Amino acid sequence: MEKFVRHDGLVAPLDRANVDTDQIIPKQFLKSIKRTGFGPNLFDEWRYLDEGFPGQDNSSRPLNKDFVLNLPAYQGASVLITRRNFGCGSSREHAPWALMDFGFKAIIAPSFADIFYNNCFKNGLLPIVLSEDNVEALFQAVHGKEGYRITIDLEGQQVIPETGAPLPFEIDEFRKHCLLNGLDEIGLTLNEAEAIRAYEKGRMEREPWVFADH
Amino acid sequence: MAGKTLYDKLWEAHLVTQREDGSALIYIDRQIIHEVTSPQAFEGLRLAGRQPWRTSASVATIDHNVPTTPFKSAADIADDTSRIQVQTLQDNTREFGITEFGIGDVRQGIVHVMAPEQGAVVPGMTVVCGDSHTSTNGALACLAHGIGTSEVEHVLATQTLVAKKMNNMRVSVEGELGPGVTAKDVVLHIIGVIGTAGGTGYALEFAGSAMRSLSMEGRMTVCNMAIEAGARAGMVAVDDVTIDYVKGRPFAPKGADWDKAEAYWRTLVSDADARFDEEVNIDAADIKPQVSWGTSPEMVVPVDANLPDPAAESDEVKRSGMTRAYEYMGLTPGMPVTDIKVDRVFIGSCTNSRIEDLRAAAEVAKGRQKAGSVKQVLVVPGSGLVKQQAEKEGLDKVFVAAGFEWREPGCSMCLAMNPDRLEAGEHCASTSNRNFEGRQGNGGRTHLVSPAMAAAAAVAGHFVDIRELDQA
Ligand code: SF4
């Protein structure tokens, strides 16, 4: 996994609450057996005027010119600000894959759905929770100035907007450590293989049926 | 010291190591695998040269994009990408030695229907699957929740998950459910009360006399939609209904193991003095048959109501969400629910495709006819075994006589990854769990209802109050 230490990027505002994973990446694109290539279909139903299907040449499709990510001002954006309960719905990891493939490095919202939040960290995408008020202030700042940028300092746990004071955010220590160092979680867990085996032994005695072959 | 909740007990029983930062390694007893969220996980194992930690912990099946018309082999699946996923799962399970109920196997079905049906999920287990409706399995007093593909790989390789303990929430529904009010109406009502994010960060226990009065199938319907209230895991404590359900299933413990298991499982209830971080109390008498009108499961109203007015909503974010939903759904505030016409009907999905659901729909369909204005009524059983049972009871004949279509098991129009789908602008009475924009087909408009309400809408051509149909 790629390291995430500090990121400076252009901000795109997606002014909607409860953005669900079906919206982030519609199901017809889940049929891929790869982890990459989802970027052109991020928010497919909002970005294009026609219906998308996998394997198509997206460059010739009619664009929805009003959709925020199609506006010239937000080309190259790498930080998304949005409203509460972002990423609700299914557990598909294709959602963070699509956001990352598009070029996003961080998502800022007042709240996230649990599974989506979790999935972001596994892929080096940073979800940041800020208060409703702070998110609102960022929306206003972004709408007020073209090319508005933000710096995210993961080490110091703060979002540094172009204007105004830095905004501190909370993050789980373990997740922060993994992101900062780009660590592979499976490898880390396998360092504890002894503990897992010892645990299994106890369970096998108490609940042997759990371990039955079938 | 305060007593423990069911979730506390399940968590403690699976704790491998507790880390200082509050995260923990928990042991996973059962992983259910399907074709959509697993290919990248198996690929990850291969790339890292890793083997599954314990193959007997996993059981796989195909559901999300299988056609619901008969087919004999992967080669019969017309859609290239669907065929590749079905084939890839078969190849992966063979390569890694994992049991799969594949094409032509009567045990094949929707992951969350198949697993409890096989007894592959029993009380006291931790259960995961790369699918958010894994919460369904919590009906058996399990800690069951959806995970992402990286976690699928993590569980395959280590049999554990890195997790953080959630908070405890209990929703108690007390009293007797009225006539025509089903498990689906109960859970839609609950979501209407607590909202789609109301359960975020919580493990949700469903309790109370109304919950205990539900069959196992009904409890699965309720737990299935815990995620629609934001909670990754929903669960119901063990009682006689649980024990009777598990007994005799193919994977369930037998002989002396059974007695030992039953004794342990009986302890899987929240202690009387357990403390919950959040409690919600609902009077069963307040629950009426429900219909969702918008594009989020919390946008739900009783069938005898009129659609809500966004202007009356004080929360600005919610108000704009409602306005957008009205636009998408092509409906107007204030109109009676029963004026909404339906173009298609879908009876199926991991929420409502078990035998009890099909019986409820058949009861309404019996001796009645699909309305001429309704283009299609799909009835899709949750598994090959459900299908077999329904046919034994003659339910298939009832459906076909009413002009409904009787299909092969799978997820079908729940998410329209296979050919079953809505056309843009069509309204669908659906027994599934998500009414998001485009969920059942680009531009499709979903209304979530119970199986009986779906069948009644199929017959009438618009929503009807099932309680009035009963009197007819
Ligand atoms: S029936 Fe629908 S919700 Fe259930 S597992 Fe299949 S796609 Fe997911």
Side-chain angles (χ1 to χ4, degrees):
Chain A
M1 199 173 74
E2 227 181 287
K3 288 183 189 176
F4 189 120
V5 182
R6 200 180 169 86
H7 176 74
D8 170 74
L10 180 69
V11 185
L14 182 66
D15 198 354
R16 297 188 183 211
N18 296 314
V19 172
D20 60 75
T21 52
D22 282 77
Q23 242 46 74
I24 298 174
I25 182 85
K27 68 248 158 194
Q28 63 267 37
F29 303 108
L30 309 190
K31 292 180 180 178
S32 162
I33 55 171
K34 296 185 303 210
R35 284 176 194 252
T36 51
F38 296 102
N41 302 108
L42 174 73
F43 299 122
D44 197 272
E45 290 179 14
W46 290 337
R47 261 167 85 192
Y48 303 97
L49 295 172
D50 63 346
E51 184 176 354
F53 55 87
Q56 163 190 34
D57 174 15
N58 294 290
S59 61
S60 56
R61 295 175 60 195
L63 289 178
N64 172 5
K65 297 219 166 56
D66 299 330
F67 183 59
V68 59
L69 296 185
N70 289 333
L71 299 179
Y74 303 115
Q75 298 313 302
S78 60
V79 177
L80 188 71
I81 60 167
T82 182
R83 301 290 184 180
R84 69 177 83 141
N85 201 28
F86 186 82
C88 60
S90 89
S91 61
R92 64 187 67 156
E93 204 154 317
H94 312 69
W97 294 338
L99 286 158
M100 292 203 72
D101 200 59
F102 181 86
F104 285 115
K105 297 270 187 271
I107 319 283
I108 300 176
S111 62
F112 292 91
D114 279 346
I115 301 180
F116 174 82
Y117 186 75
N118 221 8
N119 283 341
C120 286
F121 288 102
K122 315 281 175 191
N123 295 283
L125 178 66
L126 178 60
I128 297 174
V129 177
L130 293 180
S131 71
E132 295 260 4
D133 289 347
N134 283 337
V135 170
E136 177 57 35
L138 284 178
F139 265 102
Q140 286 182 10
V142 172
H143 283 133
K145 176 180 180 275
E146 193 156 316
Y148 194 87
R149 298 180 79 84
I150 266 177
T151 300
I152 292 157
D153 166 21
L154 177 59
E155 182 80 72
Q157 292 186 210
Q158 55 181 350
V159 171
I160 309 163
E162 237 182 77
T163 46
L167 308 166
F169 62 88
E170 295 290 320
I171 180 172
D172 175 278
E173 272 305 314
F174 178 70
R175 284 173 165 157
K176 179 175 168 183
H177 174 74
C178 288
L179 275 181
L180 284 173
N181 299 289
L183 293 176
D184 160 20
E185 225 179 71
I186 294 179
L188 280 177
T189 300
L190 286 172
N191 290 339
E192 297 184 65
E194 275 313 306
I196 302 172
R197 264 185 223 108
Y199 169 88
E200 259 181 343
K201 210 160 152 263
R203 272 301 290 298
M204 269 182 221
E205 278 163 24
R206 292 195 304 276
E207 292 167 73
W209 55 87
V210 169
F211 299 86
D213 272 322
H214 46 79
Chain B
M1 209 183 81
K4 290 175 182 160
T5 65
L6 168 58
Y7 170 62
D8 294 339
K9 292 179 185 183
L10 292 169
W11 173 267
E12 282 167 23
H14 291 87
L15 195 59
V16 177
T17 47
Q18 177 73 55
R19 296 179 178 144
E20 271 177 24
D21 64 5
S23 70
L25 208 55
I26 62 162
Y27 191 79
I28 300 302
D29 297 326
R30 181 71 72 218
Q31 169 147 248
I32 319 167
I33 295 173
H34 65 87
E35 76 277 18
V36 177
T37 54
S38 67
Q40 295 89 349
F42 284 113
E43 187 61 20
L45 284 187
R46 256 190 305 268
L47 288 174
R50 289 176 176 136
Q51 282 297 317
W53 180 275
R54 178 166 75 82
T55 49
S56 69
S58 298
V59 43
T61 194
I62 42 173
D63 56 3
H64 279 64
N65 57 37
V66 294
T68 55
T69 43
F71 65 107
K72 291 209 168 57
S73 74
D76 296 340
I77 303 177
D79 182 83
D80 287 341
T81 44
S82 293
R83 186 174 61 247
I84 290 169
Q85 281 193 336
V86 168
Q87 188 65 52
T88 304
L89 182 65
Q90 204 175 78
D91 296 345
N92 282 328
T93 52
R94 284 191 186 149
E95 177 183 340
F96 290 103
I98 288 167
T99 303
E100 185 198 350
F101 302 141
I103 300 168
D105 192 316
V106 72
R107 297 166 292 186
Q108 176 264 328
I110 305 174
V111 273
H112 316 307
V113 175
M114 172 279 285
E117 188 173 73
Q118 288 302 312
V121 168
V122 296
M125 278 186 167
T126 40
V127 181
V128 295
C129 173
D131 185 283
S132 58
H133 293 100
T134 309
S135 58
T136 313
N137 300 281
L140 287 134
C142 289
L143 174 55
H145 59 75
I147 55 177
T149 298
S150 296
E151 290 175 313
V152 171
E153 185 183 339
H154 191 276
V155 173
L156 278 168
T158 71
Q159 215 51 57
T160 62
L161 260 190
V162 178
K164 222 174 182 165
K165 192 160 183 234
M166 296 181 267
N167 288 328
N168 282 290
M169 181 190 250
R170 177 162 63 187
V171 176
S172 305
V173 187
E174 295 289 352
E176 225 175 288
L177 297 173
V181 177
T182 68
K184 182 63 163 289
D185 304 300
V186 172
V187 70
L188 285 172
H189 179 89
I190 292 172
I191 295 163
V193 171
I194 70 177
T196 46
T200 304
Y202 291 100
L204 195 53
E205 180 174 344
F206 296 101
S209 56
M211 208 59 71
R212 282 193 302 277
S213 76
L214 293 177
S215 67
M216 212 56 220
E217 284 84 354
R219 295 174 189 188
M220 287 188 219
T221 300
V222 173
C223 290
N224 175 272
M225 292 192 71
I227 185 69
E228 260 58 62
R232 291 180 77 176
M235 60 192 76
V236 177
V238 168
D239 63 6
D240 290 343
V241 175
T242 326
I243 303 288
D244 292 346
Y245 178 88
V246 176
K247 196 159 193 175
R249 299 205 172 253
F251 287 45
K254 313 245 150 41
D257 266 357
W258 171 265
D259 297 332
K260 193 174 165 188
E262 183 182 341
Y264 167 57
W265 295 345
R266 295 262 181 205
T267 68
L268 297 173
V269 297
S270 288
D271 295 333
D273 56 345
R275 209 189 63 79
F276 287 84
D277 302 285
E278 188 72 42
E279 291 248 30
V280 177
N281 292 299
I282 288 172
D283 184 349
D286 290 344
I287 308 176
K288 295 176 178 175
Q290 305 279 309
V291 179
S292 78
W293 63 268
T295 53
S296 160
E298 70 187 8
M299 295 173 177
V300 66
V301 285
V303 64
D304 58 3
N306 294 347
L307 299 191
D309 185 359
E313 173 61 58
S314 57
D315 181 315
E316 199 187 312
V317 176
K318 272 196 181 162
R319 187 165 59 239
S320 72
M322 285 171 80
T323 308
R324 203 191 313 275
Y326 272 114
E327 223 166 90
Y328 181 83
M329 297 295 288
L331 298 171
T332 22
M335 74 185 276
V337 173
T338 46
D339 279 1
I340 303 174
K341 295 197 174 51
V342 305
D343 302 292
R344 287 180 206 264
V345 176
F346 171 60
I347 299 170
S349 91
C350 57
T351 317
N352 285 125
S353 64
R354 298 176 183 82
I355 189 67
E356 183 182 285
D357 302 313
L358 302 186
R359 286 181 192 139
E363 201 179 311
V364 175
K366 196 166 189 158
R368 295 191 169 96
Q369 272 298 318
K370 169 181 90 67
S373 58
V374 174
K375 293 178 199 157
Q376 183 181 46
V377 184
L378 282 182
V379 187
V380 187
S383 72
L385 285 166
V386 170
K387 180 168 186 264
Q388 209 171 53
Q389 179 62 31
E391 289 175 355
K392 221 162 92 189
E393 297 177 19
L395 306 185
D396 57 325
K397 298 209 174 60
V398 172
F399 291 129
V400 171
F404 298 8
E405 293 174 37
W406 179 242
R407 294 294 188 91
E408 300 294 318
C411 293
S412 180
M413 211 198 274
C414 174
L415 89 168
M417 272 185 83
N418 76 347
D420 310 333
R421 54 191 322 189
L422 298 181
E423 299 292 327
E426 287 181 342
H427 287 265
C428 178
S430 177
T431 66
S432 56
N433 44 46
R434 290 205 169 122
N435 51 353
F436 298 156
E437 288 182 23
R439 170 79 177 182
Q440 295 190 291
N442 200 287
R445 297 158 169 171
T446 304
H447 300 275
L448 305 173
V449 287
S450 73
M453 286 280 290
V459 168
H462 56 87
F463 289 108
V464 284
D465 192 333
I466 188 74
R467 297 168 300 180
E468 282 162 20
L469 196 77
D470 279 346
Q471 288 153 15

